[in-house]
């Protein structure tokens, strides 16, 4: 995720900005930059790659001045490069931006038609053009920003600097975090407390739809209509290490909580509810030539592929095969130019997935990559790329990458279904309309996660766990087991509930916790009957069921309710309590949750 820092006061801005950006490095980024005002103009220095590169550049082209803005970028629109790095400067206006402008294409076309020239591929530059177009006629910078934001749809935190008006910075927030740091005769602005914690502990947290005018001596908050807002400052007592994790004890916890935002960002700009269609980022996949889809991935991404198979086959009726990338590449697979290979990789760098993609391409297949890292190796090698907008995932155990992969696969399945004509427009509309409600449902679910902490304490000393589900809940059972074993080191198995009686039922006794995924839907009754088989053998049942289920309480030892949604979308919600369960079990055991033993975040070797 991108990071923002801004300063206005009596000191040199650049060292403060660079130090703030250094504090944000842990979040992951691919480029960095600053814009600092002095003597009538703002000097912009930007650099692809690590902050070290920017610092070296600043040694050659110093940026002196006492007001400035800085940014670390995690690319979403436009590859990582110097020109795509922030700040973006148009005329007298410089802008840094976190988040996604959903209507960036439409706005870009409009601006280009009226003569604007773009120098980057980013959505951010649009904001700089919009403010630049308003500033000449506006009463001040705040009014120009207010007017410009009236045209923007999306999630953003922005900070704007005007070289003709250097006594002020204007910031605004909609769905991306923004905080103001208060000093004596100086003020700070940042996307995260961490960036400015070395400078001040007095912070004002900005809320949705608010604009802030920041001068050396004052911070004025208004809503988008210009009505004044009063907000008390808070004294931050977090250490820098706590602040990096937004106050959470582990990145995994932070990333679990970020999922509603990550899902919303992955949907942003891609769902067209008016026409019941999905925009696949300009990927014009020709379905008429596709006879089969083959999905390749590893670990958690493999589990999302298994859900993807259900989604794509059901909606498009194109047959789908799923392979572990590590197996696929060595089994001389049948693959040719009528196959579409979908390779899923959070990091975009997993060696086995990369090997599978290379092989498929050599044999003539077209490859669509789903990744979380723009311009990483796998999407670069692929013919088409579709990005999850989860933001950097730091915890080794994948959480928000998984749910955003599921969202991406659902969008792709709907797109393919509409293309093949096998998905009725009404059903597409229903699915898309329901998808946009998922972030709120997810937030609600995560907020009620304390119950999982109690369950984790109750069963966390068990020797093993079994997870089971049917249909699209079977891959979620696999994912629940993987999560638990990788961070708590407890042996866990995921099983299709229907397979129980073919072997694993022998494991069941009063000491075995069995997590049963049993949401409402066509397979509910069948799963309940598997659950009663476990109960008959005294297994301890933790049921993940749909809210309002009246029957399940009498059959299970513990019931965790998930919000109601369409069956196709249930995995996106049902995996969340499993993530929380494994997190709390691991926490109870005191393992190294973010960096479990023997594991790396990205497996770039075989
Ligand atoms: O970056 P990728 O999605 O290609 O990574 C694949 C697996 O290594 C990864 O999902 C791994 O299984 C995670 N640690 C699971 O939490």
């Amino acid at each position: 995720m991108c990071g923002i820092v801004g300063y206005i006061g009596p000191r040199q801005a650049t060292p403060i900005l660079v130090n703030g950006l250094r504090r944000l490095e842990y979040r992951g980024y691919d480029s960095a930059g600053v814009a600092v005002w002095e003597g009538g103009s703002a000097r912009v220095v930007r650099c692809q790659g690590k902050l070290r590169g920017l610092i070296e550049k600043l040694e050659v082209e110093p940026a002196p001045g006492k007001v400035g803005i800085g940014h670390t970028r995690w690319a979403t629109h436009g590859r990582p490069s110097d020109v795509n790095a922030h700040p973006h400067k148009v005329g007298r206006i410089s802008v840094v931006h976190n988040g996604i402008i959903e209507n960036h294409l439409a706005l870009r076309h409009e601006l280009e038609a009226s003569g604007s020239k773009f120098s980057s591929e980013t959505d951010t530059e649009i904001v700089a053009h919009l403010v630049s177009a308003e500033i000449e006629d506006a009463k001040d910078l705040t009014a120009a920003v207010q007017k410009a934001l009236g045209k923007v749809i999306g999630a953003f935190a922005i900070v704007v600097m005007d070289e003709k008006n250097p006594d002020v910075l204007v910031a605004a927030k909609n769905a991306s975090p923004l905080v103001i740091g208060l000093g004596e005769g100086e003020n700070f602005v940042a996307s995260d407390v961490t960036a400015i914690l070395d400078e001040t502990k007095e912070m004002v947290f900005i809320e949705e739809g608010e604009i802030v005018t920041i001068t050396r001596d004052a911070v004025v908050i208004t809503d988008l209509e210009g009505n004044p807002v009063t907000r008390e400052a808070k004294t931050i007592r977090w250490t820098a290490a706590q602040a990096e994790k937004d106050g959470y004890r582990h990145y995994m916890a932070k990333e679990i909580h970020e999922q509603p935002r990550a899902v919303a960002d992955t949907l942003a700009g891609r769902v067209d509810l008016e026409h019941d269609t999905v925009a696949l980022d300009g990927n014009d996949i020709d379905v008429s030539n596709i006879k089969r889809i083959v999905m390749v991935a590893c670990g958690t991404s493999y589990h999302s592929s298994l859900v993807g198979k259900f989604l794509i086959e059901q909606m498009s009726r194109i047959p789908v095969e799923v392979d572990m990338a590590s197996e696929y590449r060595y089994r001389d697979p049948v693959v040719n130019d009528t196959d579409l290979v979908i390779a899923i990789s959070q990091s975009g760098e997993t060696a086995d997935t990369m090997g599978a993609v290379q092989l498929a391409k050599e044999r003539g297949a077209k490859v669509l990559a789903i990744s979380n890292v723009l311009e990483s190796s796998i999407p670069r090698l692929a013919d088409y790329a579709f990005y999850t907008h989860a933001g950097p995932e730091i915890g080794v155990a994948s959480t928000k990458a998984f749910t955003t992969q599921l969202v991406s696969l659902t969008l792709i399945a709907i797109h393919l279904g509409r293309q093949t004509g096998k998905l009725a427009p009404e059903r597409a509309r229903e699915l898309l309309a329901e998808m946009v409600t998922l972030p709120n449902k997810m937030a609600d679910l995560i907020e009620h996660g304390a119950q999982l902490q109690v369950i984790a304490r109750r069963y966390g000393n068990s020797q093993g766990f079994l997870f089971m589900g049917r249909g699209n809940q079977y891959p979620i059972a696999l994912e629940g087991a993987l999560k638990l074993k990788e961070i708590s080191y407890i042996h866990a198995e995921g099983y299709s509930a229907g397979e129980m009686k073919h072997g694993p039922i022998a494991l069941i006794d009063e000491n075995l916790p069995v997590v049963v995924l049993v949401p409402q839907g066509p397979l509910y009754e069948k799963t309940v009957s598997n659950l009663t088989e476990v109960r008959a053998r005294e297994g301890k049942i933790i049921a993940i069921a749909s809210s309002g289920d009246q029957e399940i309480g009498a059959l299970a030892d513990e019931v965790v309710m998930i919000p109601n949604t369409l069956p196709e979308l249930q995995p996106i919600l049902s995996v969340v309590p499993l993530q929380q369960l494994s997190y709390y079990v691991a926490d109870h055991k005191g393992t190294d949750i973010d960096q479990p033993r023997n594991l790396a975040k990205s497996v770039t070797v075989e």
Side-chain angles (χ1 to χ4, degrees):
M1 222 147 350
C2 307
I4 287 178
V5 58
Y7 174 74
I8 183 161
R11 293 188 280 156
Q12 283 297 314
T14 299
I16 296 168
L17 300 180
V18 169
N19 186 49
L21 297 180
R22 189 177 288 121
R23 289 287 185 198
L24 295 175
E25 276 195 294
Y26 73 94
R27 296 162 60 95
Y29 64 103
D30 50 56
S31 48
V34 295
V36 181
W37 183 90
E38 195 186 51
S41 66
R43 172 181 291 246
V44 179
V45 184
R46 305 178 288 182
C47 190
Q48 184 192 341
K50 292 293 159 199
L51 204 51
R52 180 172 356 103
L54 177 69
I55 294 168
E56 280 165 16
K57 231 173 168 179
L58 282 165
E59 278 162 16
V60 184
E61 333 165 23
K66 296 174 181 172
V67 52
I69 53 181
H71 192 261
T72 45
R73 175 173 188 249
W74 167 269
T76 55
H77 295 87
R79 74 210 140 81
S81 67
D82 285 5
V83 286
N84 286 336
H86 303 203
H88 287 280
K89 187 165 183 246
V90 173
R92 48 194 266 201
I93 298 297
S94 304
V95 174
V96 289
H97 160 231
N98 283 2
I100 291 168
I101 310 291
E102 283 186 42
N103 56 338
H104 72 105
L105 276 181
L107 288 174
R108 192 177 179 116
H109 292 150
E110 248 174 62
L111 286 160
E112 279 172 340
S114 55
S116 299
K117 296 265 175 293
F118 280 78
S119 56
S120 78
E121 303 157 309
T122 64
D123 50 346
T124 304
E125 196 184 338
I126 282 148
V127 181
H129 278 280
L130 290 173
V131 179
S132 175
E134 299 294 344
I135 190 73
E136 300 298 341
D137 298 330
K139 101 173 159 348
D140 54 24
L141 181 62
T142 308
V145 171
Q146 195 178 339
K147 216 137 176 242
L149 290 182
K151 301 188 177 144
V152 169
I153 302 172
F156 52 78
I158 57 161
V159 186
V160 185
M161 188 168 76
D162 173 10
E163 63 187 9
K164 289 204 179 156
N165 198 356
D167 294 326
V168 66
L169 292 175
V170 174
K173 165 183 159 72
N174 185 38
S176 290
L178 190 70
V179 61
I180 307 297
L182 305 179
E184 287 293 321
E186 60 182 359
N187 285 309
F188 309 82
V189 55
S191 52
D192 303 75
V193 165
T194 336
I196 48 178
L197 205 55
D198 289 340
E199 306 295 341
T200 178
K201 305 270 182 254
E202 294 302 301
M203 310 271 180
V204 179
F205 289 89
I206 304 307
E207 292 184 0
E208 304 316 318
E210 292 178 349
I211 298 195
V212 202
T213 308
I214 310 153
T215 58
R216 285 168 184 79
D217 301 308
V219 170
V220 176
I221 310 174
T222 65
D223 63 18
L224 280 177
E225 280 74 50
N227 303 308
V229 173
T230 325
R231 175 101 15 85
E232 292 287 305
K234 288 200 169 123
T235 306
I236 299 298
R237 303 196 194 284
W238 295 344
T239 61
Q242 282 171 321
E244 280 184 4
K245 294 168 192 148
D246 281 354
Y248 294 103
R249 289 177 42 243
H250 302 96
Y251 285 113
M252 183 181 177
K254 173 174 177 269
E255 286 159 7
I256 288 173
H257 282 80
E258 279 173 351
Q259 289 179 109
R261 175 77 263 133
V263 167
D265 282 352
T266 303
L267 291 169
R270 289 160 166 176
V271 173
D272 181 349
L273 283 176
E274 241 173 71
H275 304 96
D276 318 318
T277 54
V278 167
L280 281 194
D281 299 357
N283 289 306
D284 51 348
I285 301 166
D286 177 11
V287 286
S288 62
N289 191 36
I290 302 173
K291 297 221 161 31
R292 180 181 69 151
I293 289 175
V294 179
M295 303 180 78
V296 289
C298 301
T300 286
S301 299
Y302 169 72
H303 297 152
S304 71
S305 311
L306 292 172
V307 178
K309 176 180 165 75
F310 280 90
L311 293 165
I312 295 173
E313 286 193 338
Q314 184 184 334
M315 295 186 204
S316 72
R317 307 311 295 158
I318 301 172
V320 180
E321 284 176 23
V322 183
D323 258 278
M324 283 173 194
S326 54
E327 289 295 321
Y328 183 81
R329 59 188 299 201
Y330 294 118
R331 70 169 175 78
D332 190 15
V334 177
V335 55
N336 59 43
D337 62 1
T338 60
D339 291 319
L340 173 70
V341 171
I342 302 183
I344 307 184
S345 173
Q346 184 283 132
S347 61
E349 302 294 347
T350 299
D352 283 319
T353 311
M354 181 85 170
V357 168
Q358 269 156 344
L359 176 76
K361 278 198 69 124
E362 275 159 26
R363 298 193 180 181
K366 286 266 188 257
V367 177
L368 162 65
I370 300 177
S371 178
N372 193 37
V373 183
L374 205 85
E375 292 290 304
S376 50
S377 304
I378 294 168
R380 272 213 319 267
L381 186 64
D383 301 278
Y384 313 103
F386 191 80
Y387 291 99
T388 52
H389 290 158
E393 196 179 60
I394 295 169
V396 163
S398 190
T399 51
K400 60 179 182 170
F402 180 68
T403 42
T404 54
Q405 284 169 357
L406 297 185
V407 168
S408 302
L409 285 163
T410 314
L411 291 175
I412 290 166
I414 293 172
H415 178 78
L416 294 173
R418 296 294 298 120
Q419 296 282 303
T420 56
K422 301 289 182 195
L423 181 68
E426 300 72 39
R427 186 64 182 160
R429 187 174 318 141
E430 240 181 297
L431 284 160
L432 291 170
E434 179 62 16
M435 283 181 91
V436 298
T437 72
L438 286 177
N440 283 342
K441 291 187 175 175
M442 215 174 202
D444 203 42
L445 178 61
I446 293 167
E447 245 169 58
H448 291 95
Q451 184 196 3
L452 274 312
Q453 198 166 5
V454 176
I455 297 175
R457 284 209 200 104
R458 214 168 268 160
Y459 301 95
N461 294 325
S462 307
Q463 295 298 304
F465 271 71
L466 207 55
F467 290 76
M468 61 188 216
R470 279 176 177 262
N472 62 8
Q473 295 300 326
Y474 162 53
I476 302 305
L478 295 176
E479 175 61 7
L482 174 64
K483 271 313 68 104
L484 187 71
K485 60 189 147 195
E486 75 178 322
I487 61 168
S488 73
Y489 317 145
I490 294 177
H491 180 244
E493 296 245 23
Y495 255 93
S496 143
E499 272 291 294
M500 285 293 296
K501 52 185 156 313
H502 300 290
I505 203 163
L507 291 171
I508 293 170
D509 63 16
E510 70 282 9
N511 297 316
L512 186 74
V514 183
V515 179
V516 187
L517 291 142
V518 58
Q520 291 297 331
L523 296 170
Y524 175 79
E525 298 299 342
K526 291 231 171 287
T527 315
V528 166
S529 80
N530 298 127
L531 184 153
T532 50
E533 286 159 15
V534 175
R535 190 176 168 78
R537 286 153 187 89
E538 294 182 12
K540 295 284 171 279
I541 296 167
I542 303 164
I544 312 294
S546 296
S547 172
D549 185 332
Q550 304 286 339
E551 280 177 50
I552 204 78
L555 301 172
D557 296 273
E558 317 284 345
V559 179
V560 179
M561 295 292 191
I562 60 167
N564 287 299
T565 189
L566 299 172
E568 293 90 328
L569 308 179
Q570 281 166 344
I572 300 168
L573 297 178
S574 64
V575 73
V576 173
L578 306 193
Q579 297 167 345
Q580 290 173 308
L581 176 67
S582 57
Y583 173 79
Y584 288 127
V585 170
D587 196 30
H588 173 69
K589 289 194 70 186
T591 55
D592 186 348
I593 292 183
D594 285 330
Q595 292 191 326
R597 67 186 181 202
N598 309 336
L599 286 172
K601 181 66 187 160
S602 176
V603 187
T604 53
V605 290
E606 278 192 65

